Each structure stands twice: as structure tokens, then as C-alpha cells.
Amino acid sequence: MSGNTFGKLFAVTNFGESHGPAIGCVIDGCPPGMTLSVTDIQPDLDRRRPGTSKFVTQRNEPDAVEILSGVYEGKTTGTPICLLIKNTDQRSKDYGNIVQTFRPGHADYTYYQKYGIRDPRGGGRSSARLTAPMVAAGAVAKKWLAEHYGTVFRGCMTQIGELPITFESWDFVPDNPFFAPMADVSVVASYMEALRKTGDSCGARIRVSASNVPVGLGEPLFDKMDADIAYAMMGINAVKGVEIGAGFASVAQRGSTHGDSLSPQGFKSNNAGGVLGGITSGQDLEVSIAIKPTSSILTPRESIDMAGQPTEVITKGRHDPCVGIRATPIAEAMLALVVMDHALRQRAQCGDVTVNLKPIKASI
């Protein structure tokens, strides 16, 4: 009921607050016998963690993960895996000026109306810091899927603010702080430098994909693969839009163009984004998400206080001028969690199904 658990067979329960002693998650349903250690999880957390460049929040959290349960002698036991990440660099005093006010565009107001109480330190449960446990859980899912199907998850930034980012190669993504698929990111750095000086923020567009996804994952009606992907992506902080495959560009396409032709050699296009009728086709899952501008900014804005009186809000402290910069590993993790959950559901219900037609290639 309280919405802190994601997934059905691979269920991840998220806990903690931004400025509490620790954050973490419990993974229930991970199959036994998989080799698992901190070194399988930490690299993805390092990609997401704050303080990695001057373009993101300077909160210096190592995000060192600890495995508290569910692993014995280096292998998963099939019992709940508890992952813990301690908070070490909280500066709660930075939020002293918003204890009695509400940040425009933030969850402050709605949280107070829902619960009658709110933790203003870093936004409490509404903080993007709570995505770290999901990235950790996603790393576990990624490993299992890679070992069983060879599934590979990748993501990149395709737009920041008004600035489009040209796709050149996946190889460039790890080499810059923006997860940009281009060799020279100087124009992106200049854009962010100028934005930071204004005390304002901007949004971003992120692409995330999964290759070597098995055919047949997902259900025909309410638990469609693309529906669950959209649900997962909208659960990421600040996400305001999701596209699968051609997305909204489908509106301007004709049926003769949008429908991905099949041939014995493979699919000829992927406008569907790897999902047909809610079920994976074996093509790459292609997802794009829109992330809104950061709500905590230095620019003065109109708001109200706890008594309902007009006031002005200025948010000081350490904040991302664009939360989308660190969103790529988060989107990858959430996509991995959806695929993992459906892979286990497919194995449970249809694991013994055989057909004479072999899957065709993802693309020609």
C-alpha cells in the first residue's frame, strides 16, 4: 500500500531517507547459486554517486555498498539480499530556511498534505538519493540476465536543456561526466557552466536500451512489458515523460512505415522499441525519458509558508543543476529490474513452452 516495493517475483523494497543514517534495499526473489560480491554492484553505484564532477551536487558520498544477507560463501542463497549504503556527508543545516516553506516544483507541499508531517532534510524520501538502492538492485539483476541471456543494458544523454546531443558512439559514454555519446563534450560543459552561474536549472532527455532480450517476456493485457517499463521509469525522481521506440513520433508515421517488417533474416526496423502487444520481440528495448529541471535552485520564487501566507523561496546548499546528468545508470537499473522480474515470471509460467519457429534476429 505504501509503495516502497517494486516488482513481483524479483521484489525490491527500498528504505531510508536522504539525511538519515543509511539508505538501502531488500531484494526478495533472487535465484540461488549466482556468484555475487560488492565488486559486482559498486561500479554502477560509482557511476551514479554525487560529487563526481563540478556539474553535479558536491555532496561527497562514497556510496559504498554492504551486503548484509542473502549471500553465503560468495553465492546467492535464494533468501532476501539486504544491501546497505551509509550516508556520510549530510548537511541538514542547508535546509533550515525551507522548514516552514514549500519549494515550487518539489514534493514538499504534497508530502505535507498527504502525511501531515515531512522531513525537509534533503527532501527525505522524495530525494533522488533514494535511487541509489535501486541502482544497487539493478546491478544484481544485470548480472543474472547477462549470465542467462547475454542481456546488455546501456544508456546515454541525448539532450540537456535546449541543447541536443548527437549520437556518435556508445564508446564515448563512459569518458565524460554527462554520459554523452560524443567525443567532444566541450559545448555541453560550456552550457552547464553558464547555467550554473545563473542559479537556475534545466532538464534532460535520456536514452536507455537493452540488447539480447529474450522473446516472450511480458503479458498481453495489464502487465505489458512496455507498460511496466513506463511505470518503472515514471517512478524515477523528476521523470515527466516516457517513450518506447518511436514514441510520440509514431503520430506522424503511417502504418506502412511504423510497422516493423519481418523477414527470415530479421526485423527491418524497430519503431516498436522491442515490444509487440506487450510482449518482447527479441529486438532491443528502446526507451527515452524526459527529466524536469531541478526544483532546488538559488533563483527566488513565489511560494507559501506553513500558515498559507505568501513568501519567497531560495534554496541554498548542494544541488544538481541538472538531475538528468546522473540519471543514466538509474534508468538502466530500472529497465533491468523490469526485465528481470518478467524473466522470472516467464520461466515460472511458460518455461516449458516450445515452438517450431526459431526467433529471428533483432535487426538486419
Side-chain angles (χ1 to χ4, degrees), residues 321-350:
C322 175
V323 290
I325 291 176
R326 295 192 290 130
T328 296
I330 303 168
E332 289 177 16
M334 295 308 296
L335 183 59
L337 291 175
V338 174
V339 176
M340 179 70 182
D341 197 46
H342 275 283
L344 294 181
R345 290 158 66 176
Q346 174 71 2
R347 190 171 70 163
Q349 182 187 17
C350 302

PDB file of all heavy atoms in Angstrom, residues 321-350:
ATOM      1  N   PRO A 321      22.430  21.038 -10.783  1.00  0.00           N
ATOM      2  CA  PRO A 321      21.774  21.983 -11.688  1.00  0.00           C
ATOM      3  C   PRO A 321      20.963  21.262 -12.756  1.00  0.00           C
ATOM      4  O   PRO A 321      20.059  21.831 -13.355  1.00  0.00           O
ATOM      5  CB  PRO A 321      22.947  22.756 -12.305  1.00  0.00           C
ATOM      6  CG  PRO A 321      24.123  21.860 -12.141  1.00  0.00           C
ATOM      7  CD  PRO A 321      23.892  21.089 -10.885  1.00  0.00           C
ATOM      8  N   CYS A 322      21.288  19.971 -12.972  1.00  0.00           N
ATOM      9  CA  CYS A 322      20.502  19.128 -13.879  1.00  0.00           C
ATOM     10  C   CYS A 322      20.542  17.708 -13.335  1.00  0.00           C
ATOM     11  O   CYS A 322      21.572  17.024 -13.425  1.00  0.00           O
ATOM     12  CB  CYS A 322      21.077  19.169 -15.299  1.00  0.00           C
ATOM     13  SG  CYS A 322      20.229  18.041 -16.435  1.00  0.00           S
ATOM     14  N   VAL A 323      19.442  17.261 -12.746  1.00  0.00           N
ATOM     15  CA  VAL A 323      19.424  15.914 -12.168  1.00  0.00           C
ATOM     16  C   VAL A 323      19.562  14.845 -13.241  1.00  0.00           C
ATOM     17  O   VAL A 323      19.912  13.704 -12.957  1.00  0.00           O
ATOM     18  CB  VAL A 323      18.145  15.665 -11.339  1.00  0.00           C
ATOM     19  CG1 VAL A 323      18.160  16.489 -10.069  1.00  0.00           C
ATOM     20  CG2 VAL A 323      16.893  15.947 -12.153  1.00  0.00           C
ATOM     21  N   GLY A 324      19.307  15.230 -14.493  1.00  0.00           N
ATOM     22  CA  GLY A 324      19.425  14.273 -15.580  1.00  0.00           C
ATOM     23  C   GLY A 324      20.838  13.806 -15.828  1.00  0.00           C
ATOM     24  O   GLY A 324      21.051  12.745 -16.439  1.00  0.00           O
ATOM     25  N   ILE A 325      21.836  14.557 -15.359  1.00  0.00           N
ATOM     26  CA  ILE A 325      23.228  14.178 -15.607  1.00  0.00           C
ATOM     27  C   ILE A 325      23.542  12.822 -14.979  1.00  0.00           C
ATOM     28  O   ILE A 325      24.273  12.007 -15.552  1.00  0.00           O
ATOM     29  CB  ILE A 325      24.187  15.271 -15.084  1.00  0.00           C
ATOM     30  CG1 ILE A 325      24.065  16.529 -15.942  1.00  0.00           C
ATOM     31  CG2 ILE A 325      25.627  14.773 -15.072  1.00  0.00           C
ATOM     32  CD1 ILE A 325      24.915  17.695 -15.451  1.00  0.00           C
ATOM     33  N   ARG A 326      22.986  12.554 -13.805  1.00  0.00           N
ATOM     34  CA  ARG A 326      23.272  11.292 -13.120  1.00  0.00           C
ATOM     35  C   ARG A 326      22.159  10.262 -13.301  1.00  0.00           C
ATOM     36  O   ARG A 326      22.140   9.230 -12.634  1.00  0.00           O
ATOM     37  CB  ARG A 326      23.509  11.545 -11.635  1.00  0.00           C
ATOM     38  CG  ARG A 326      24.736  12.384 -11.356  1.00  0.00           C
ATOM     39  CD  ARG A 326      25.113  12.380  -9.879  1.00  0.00           C
ATOM     40  NE  ARG A 326      24.161  13.116  -9.062  1.00  0.00           N
ATOM     41  CZ  ARG A 326      23.602  12.652  -7.950  1.00  0.00           C
ATOM     42  NH1 ARG A 326      23.882  11.437  -7.520  1.00  0.00           N
ATOM     43  NH2 ARG A 326      22.757  13.391  -7.251  1.00  0.00           N
ATOM     44  N   ALA A 327      21.231  10.521 -14.225  1.00  0.00           N
ATOM     45  CA  ALA A 327      20.058   9.652 -14.359  1.00  0.00           C
ATOM     46  C   ALA A 327      20.295   8.418 -15.219  1.00  0.00           C
ATOM     47  O   ALA A 327      19.526   7.458 -15.136  1.00  0.00           O
ATOM     48  CB  ALA A 327      18.886  10.447 -14.934  1.00  0.00           C
ATOM     49  N   THR A 328      21.336   8.410 -16.033  1.00  0.00           N
ATOM     50  CA  THR A 328      21.537   7.288 -16.951  1.00  0.00           C
ATOM     51  C   THR A 328      21.660   5.942 -16.234  1.00  0.00           C
ATOM     52  O   THR A 328      20.938   4.992 -16.577  1.00  0.00           O
ATOM     53  CB  THR A 328      22.763   7.545 -17.852  1.00  0.00           C
ATOM     54  OG1 THR A 328      22.499   8.687 -18.678  1.00  0.00           O
ATOM     55  CG2 THR A 328      23.057   6.353 -18.738  1.00  0.00           C
ATOM     56  N   PRO A 329      22.550   5.786 -15.237  1.00  0.00           N
ATOM     57  CA  PRO A 329      22.616   4.487 -14.555  1.00  0.00           C
ATOM     58  C   PRO A 329      21.343   4.135 -13.797  1.00  0.00           C
ATOM     59  O   PRO A 329      21.053   2.949 -13.586  1.00  0.00           O
ATOM     60  CB  PRO A 329      23.811   4.639 -13.604  1.00  0.00           C
ATOM     61  CG  PRO A 329      24.027   6.105 -13.456  1.00  0.00           C
ATOM     62  CD  PRO A 329      23.585   6.718 -14.733  1.00  0.00           C
ATOM     63  N   ILE A 330      20.578   5.142 -13.407  1.00  0.00           N
ATOM     64  CA  ILE A 330      19.301   4.880 -12.721  1.00  0.00           C
ATOM     65  C   ILE A 330      18.305   4.275 -13.705  1.00  0.00           C
ATOM     66  O   ILE A 330      17.624   3.280 -13.406  1.00  0.00           O
ATOM     67  CB  ILE A 330      18.735   6.172 -12.109  1.00  0.00           C
ATOM     68  CG1 ILE A 330      19.741   6.814 -11.152  1.00  0.00           C
ATOM     69  CG2 ILE A 330      17.414   5.894 -11.403  1.00  0.00           C
ATOM     70  CD1 ILE A 330      19.376   8.231 -10.731  1.00  0.00           C
ATOM     71  N   ALA A 331      18.211   4.873 -14.893  1.00  0.00           N
ATOM     72  CA  ALA A 331      17.288   4.362 -15.911  1.00  0.00           C
ATOM     73  C   ALA A 331      17.691   2.960 -16.353  1.00  0.00           C
ATOM     74  O   ALA A 331      16.841   2.090 -16.560  1.00  0.00           O
ATOM     75  CB  ALA A 331      17.261   5.306 -17.110  1.00  0.00           C
ATOM     76  N   GLU A 332      18.988   2.713 -16.479  1.00  0.00           N
ATOM     77  CA  GLU A 332      19.468   1.375 -16.821  1.00  0.00           C
ATOM     78  C   GLU A 332      19.018   0.366 -15.760  1.00  0.00           C
ATOM     79  O   GLU A 332      18.559  -0.734 -16.079  1.00  0.00           O
ATOM     80  CB  GLU A 332      20.990   1.357 -16.907  1.00  0.00           C
ATOM     81  CG  GLU A 332      21.586   2.070 -18.102  1.00  0.00           C
ATOM     82  CD  GLU A 332      23.111   2.056 -18.043  1.00  0.00           C
ATOM     83  OE1 GLU A 332      23.671   1.246 -17.266  1.00  0.00           O
ATOM     84  OE2 GLU A 332      23.738   2.849 -18.758  1.00  0.00           O
ATOM     85  N   ALA A 333      19.179   0.748 -14.491  1.00  0.00           N
ATOM     86  CA  ALA A 333      18.833  -0.150 -13.387  1.00  0.00           C
ATOM     87  C   ALA A 333      17.345  -0.475 -13.380  1.00  0.00           C
ATOM     88  O   ALA A 333      16.953  -1.640 -13.201  1.00  0.00           O
ATOM     89  CB  ALA A 333      19.243   0.475 -12.054  1.00  0.00           C
ATOM     90  N   MET A 334      16.508   0.530 -13.565  1.00  0.00           N
ATOM     91  CA  MET A 334      15.071   0.290 -13.534  1.00  0.00           C
ATOM     92  C   MET A 334      14.626  -0.579 -14.706  1.00  0.00           C
ATOM     93  O   MET A 334      13.744  -1.435 -14.558  1.00  0.00           O
ATOM     94  CB  MET A 334      14.309   1.619 -13.528  1.00  0.00           C
ATOM     95  CG  MET A 334      14.530   2.470 -12.279  1.00  0.00           C
ATOM     96  SD  MET A 334      14.254   1.585 -10.715  1.00  0.00           S
ATOM     97  CE  MET A 334      12.508   1.183 -10.819  1.00  0.00           C
ATOM     98  N   LEU A 335      15.249  -0.385 -15.870  1.00  0.00           N
ATOM     99  CA  LEU A 335      14.930  -1.246 -17.005  1.00  0.00           C
ATOM    100  C   LEU A 335      15.354  -2.679 -16.706  1.00  0.00           C
ATOM    101  O   LEU A 335      14.628  -3.635 -17.011  1.00  0.00           O
ATOM    102  CB  LEU A 335      15.629  -0.726 -18.268  1.00  0.00           C
ATOM    103  CG  LEU A 335      15.329  -1.487 -19.567  1.00  0.00           C
ATOM    104  CD1 LEU A 335      13.834  -1.474 -19.878  1.00  0.00           C
ATOM    105  CD2 LEU A 335      16.115  -0.894 -20.733  1.00  0.00           C
ATOM    106  N   ALA A 336      16.521  -2.843 -16.094  1.00  0.00           N
ATOM    107  CA  ALA A 336      17.000  -4.181 -15.745  1.00  0.00           C
ATOM    108  C   ALA A 336      16.064  -4.868 -14.744  1.00  0.00           C
ATOM    109  O   ALA A 336      15.814  -6.074 -14.843  1.00  0.00           O
ATOM    110  CB  ALA A 336      18.412  -4.095 -15.165  1.00  0.00           C
ATOM    111  N   LEU A 337      15.539  -4.108 -13.795  1.00  0.00           N
ATOM    112  CA  LEU A 337      14.635  -4.688 -12.800  1.00  0.00           C
ATOM    113  C   LEU A 337      13.337  -5.168 -13.443  1.00  0.00           C
ATOM    114  O   LEU A 337      12.792  -6.213 -13.071  1.00  0.00           O
ATOM    115  CB  LEU A 337      14.331  -3.660 -11.701  1.00  0.00           C
ATOM    116  CG  LEU A 337      15.508  -3.309 -10.784  1.00  0.00           C
ATOM    117  CD1 LEU A 337      15.116  -2.190  -9.821  1.00  0.00           C
ATOM    118  CD2 LEU A 337      15.985  -4.534 -10.002  1.00  0.00           C
ATOM    119  N   VAL A 338      12.832  -4.412 -14.423  1.00  0.00           N
ATOM    120  CA  VAL A 338      11.615  -4.834 -15.124  1.00  0.00           C
ATOM    121  C   VAL A 338      11.872  -6.115 -15.913  1.00  0.00           C
ATOM    122  O   VAL A 338      11.096  -7.077 -15.844  1.00  0.00           O
ATOM    123  CB  VAL A 338      11.117  -3.720 -16.071  1.00  0.00           C
ATOM    124  CG1 VAL A 338       9.927  -4.217 -16.899  1.00  0.00           C
ATOM    125  CG2 VAL A 338      10.706  -2.484 -15.285  1.00  0.00           C
ATOM    126  N   VAL A 339      12.965  -6.139 -16.664  1.00  0.00           N
ATOM    127  CA  VAL A 339      13.291  -7.320 -17.472  1.00  0.00           C
ATOM    128  C   VAL A 339      13.523  -8.528 -16.569  1.00  0.00           C
ATOM    129  O   VAL A 339      13.059  -9.640 -16.861  1.00  0.00           O
ATOM    130  CB  VAL A 339      14.522  -7.051 -18.366  1.00  0.00           C
ATOM    131  CG1 VAL A 339      14.913  -8.323 -19.124  1.00  0.00           C
ATOM    132  CG2 VAL A 339      14.235  -5.925 -19.351  1.00  0.00           C
ATOM    133  N   MET A 340      14.218  -8.323 -15.464  1.00  0.00           N
ATOM    134  CA  MET A 340      14.497  -9.422 -14.533  1.00  0.00           C
ATOM    135  C   MET A 340      13.197 -10.006 -13.972  1.00  0.00           C
ATOM    136  O   MET A 340      13.016 -11.237 -13.922  1.00  0.00           O
ATOM    137  CB  MET A 340      15.376  -8.909 -13.387  1.00  0.00           C
ATOM    138  CG  MET A 340      15.717  -9.943 -12.330  1.00  0.00           C
ATOM    139  SD  MET A 340      16.857 -11.173 -12.965  1.00  0.00           S
ATOM    140  CE  MET A 340      17.037 -12.256 -11.562  1.00  0.00           C
ATOM    141  N   ASP A 341      12.306  -9.149 -13.555  1.00  0.00           N
ATOM    142  CA  ASP A 341      11.052  -9.613 -12.967  1.00  0.00           C
ATOM    143  C   ASP A 341      10.254 -10.415 -13.988  1.00  0.00           C
ATOM    144  O   ASP A 341       9.724 -11.488 -13.681  1.00  0.00           O
ATOM    145  CB  ASP A 341      10.243  -8.407 -12.464  1.00  0.00           C
ATOM    146  CG  ASP A 341       9.145  -8.810 -11.497  1.00  0.00           C
ATOM    147  OD1 ASP A 341       9.421  -9.606 -10.584  1.00  0.00           O
ATOM    148  OD2 ASP A 341       8.008  -8.348 -11.666  1.00  0.00           O
ATOM    149  N   HIS A 342      10.204  -9.921 -15.224  1.00  0.00           N
ATOM    150  CA  HIS A 342       9.451 -10.623 -16.258  1.00  0.00           C
ATOM    151  C   HIS A 342      10.146 -11.906 -16.693  1.00  0.00           C
ATOM    152  O   HIS A 342       9.475 -12.876 -17.087  1.00  0.00           O
ATOM    153  CB  HIS A 342       9.214  -9.703 -17.450  1.00  0.00           C
ATOM    154  CG  HIS A 342       8.010  -8.828 -17.287  1.00  0.00           C
ATOM    155  ND1 HIS A 342       6.732  -9.293 -17.466  1.00  0.00           N
ATOM    156  CD2 HIS A 342       7.890  -7.524 -16.936  1.00  0.00           C
ATOM    157  CE1 HIS A 342       5.863  -8.299 -17.248  1.00  0.00           C
ATOM    158  NE2 HIS A 342       6.549  -7.223 -16.920  1.00  0.00           N
ATOM    159  N   ALA A 343      11.469 -11.927 -16.647  1.00  0.00           N
ATOM    160  CA  ALA A 343      12.189 -13.149 -16.995  1.00  0.00           C
ATOM    161  C   ALA A 343      11.850 -14.271 -16.018  1.00  0.00           C
ATOM    162  O   ALA A 343      11.644 -15.428 -16.416  1.00  0.00           O
ATOM    163  CB  ALA A 343      13.692 -12.890 -17.002  1.00  0.00           C
ATOM    164  N   LEU A 344      11.769 -13.940 -14.737  1.00  0.00           N
ATOM    165  CA  LEU A 344      11.410 -14.947 -13.732  1.00  0.00           C
ATOM    166  C   LEU A 344       9.952 -15.362 -13.872  1.00  0.00           C
ATOM    167  O   LEU A 344       9.609 -16.548 -13.694  1.00  0.00           O
ATOM    168  CB  LEU A 344      11.669 -14.393 -12.326  1.00  0.00           C
ATOM    169  CG  LEU A 344      13.132 -14.123 -11.961  1.00  0.00           C
ATOM    170  CD1 LEU A 344      13.233 -13.610 -10.524  1.00  0.00           C
ATOM    171  CD2 LEU A 344      13.995 -15.359 -12.146  1.00  0.00           C
ATOM    172  N   ARG A 345       9.084 -14.433 -14.219  1.00  0.00           N
ATOM    173  CA  ARG A 345       7.670 -14.759 -14.410  1.00  0.00           C
ATOM    174  C   ARG A 345       7.483 -15.649 -15.637  1.00  0.00           C
ATOM    175  O   ARG A 345       6.674 -16.597 -15.626  1.00  0.00           O
ATOM    176  CB  ARG A 345       6.856 -13.476 -14.533  1.00  0.00           C
ATOM    177  CG  ARG A 345       6.768 -12.725 -13.209  1.00  0.00           C
ATOM    178  CD  ARG A 345       6.455 -11.256 -13.373  1.00  0.00           C
ATOM    179  NE  ARG A 345       5.140 -10.993 -13.916  1.00  0.00           N
ATOM    180  CZ  ARG A 345       4.628  -9.775 -14.065  1.00  0.00           C
ATOM    181  NH1 ARG A 345       5.340  -8.715 -13.689  1.00  0.00           N
ATOM    182  NH2 ARG A 345       3.432  -9.606 -14.563  1.00  0.00           N
ATOM    183  N   GLN A 346       8.237 -15.378 -16.700  1.00  0.00           N
ATOM    184  CA  GLN A 346       8.170 -16.200 -17.906  1.00  0.00           C
ATOM    185  C   GLN A 346       8.675 -17.610 -17.629  1.00  0.00           C
ATOM    186  O   GLN A 346       8.092 -18.609 -18.068  1.00  0.00           O
ATOM    187  CB  GLN A 346       9.014 -15.554 -19.017  1.00  0.00           C
ATOM    188  CG  GLN A 346       9.149 -16.377 -20.287  1.00  0.00           C
ATOM    189  CD  GLN A 346       7.865 -16.464 -21.097  1.00  0.00           C
ATOM    190  OE1 GLN A 346       6.842 -15.882 -20.739  1.00  0.00           O
ATOM    191  NE2 GLN A 346       7.903 -17.192 -22.206  1.00  0.00           N
ATOM    192  N   ARG A 347       9.743 -17.705 -16.860  1.00  0.00           N
ATOM    193  CA  ARG A 347      10.303 -19.012 -16.508  1.00  0.00           C
ATOM    194  C   ARG A 347       9.309 -19.821 -15.676  1.00  0.00           C
ATOM    195  O   ARG A 347       9.197 -21.045 -15.824  1.00  0.00           O
ATOM    196  CB  ARG A 347      11.616 -18.817 -15.740  1.00  0.00           C
ATOM    197  CG  ARG A 347      12.394 -20.100 -15.529  1.00  0.00           C
ATOM    198  CD  ARG A 347      13.774 -19.849 -14.964  1.00  0.00           C
ATOM    199  NE  ARG A 347      13.770 -19.387 -13.593  1.00  0.00           N
ATOM    200  CZ  ARG A 347      14.828 -19.409 -12.794  1.00  0.00           C
ATOM    201  NH1 ARG A 347      15.998 -19.854 -13.260  1.00  0.00           N
ATOM    202  NH2 ARG A 347      14.760 -18.975 -11.552  1.00  0.00           N
ATOM    203  N   ALA A 348       8.572 -19.123 -14.807  1.00  0.00           N
ATOM    204  CA  ALA A 348       7.620 -19.815 -13.932  1.00  0.00           C
ATOM    205  C   ALA A 348       6.404 -20.332 -14.697  1.00  0.00           C
ATOM    206  O   ALA A 348       5.958 -21.464 -14.479  1.00  0.00           O
ATOM    207  CB  ALA A 348       7.170 -18.873 -12.815  1.00  0.00           C
ATOM    208  N   GLN A 349       5.858 -19.522 -15.618  1.00  0.00           N
ATOM    209  CA  GLN A 349       4.622 -19.908 -16.301  1.00  0.00           C
ATOM    210  C   GLN A 349       4.862 -20.650 -17.617  1.00  0.00           C
ATOM    211  O   GLN A 349       4.175 -21.622 -17.929  1.00  0.00           O
ATOM    212  CB  GLN A 349       3.755 -18.673 -16.594  1.00  0.00           C
ATOM    213  CG  GLN A 349       2.426 -19.040 -17.257  1.00  0.00           C
ATOM    214  CD  GLN A 349       1.638 -17.834 -17.708  1.00  0.00           C
ATOM    215  OE1 GLN A 349       2.176 -16.732 -17.819  1.00  0.00           O
ATOM    216  NE2 GLN A 349       0.357 -18.027 -17.974  1.00  0.00           N
ATOM    217  N   CYS A 350       5.836 -20.169 -18.388  1.00  0.00           N
ATOM    218  CA  CYS A 350       5.995 -20.685 -19.748  1.00  0.00           C
ATOM    219  C   CYS A 350       7.371 -21.293 -19.992  1.00  0.00           C
ATOM    220  O   CYS A 350       7.826 -21.378 -21.139  1.00  0.00           O
ATOM    221  CB  CYS A 350       5.754 -19.564 -20.759  1.00  0.00           C
ATOM    222  SG  CYS A 350       4.123 -18.793 -20.624  1.00  0.00           S
TER     223      CYS A 350
END
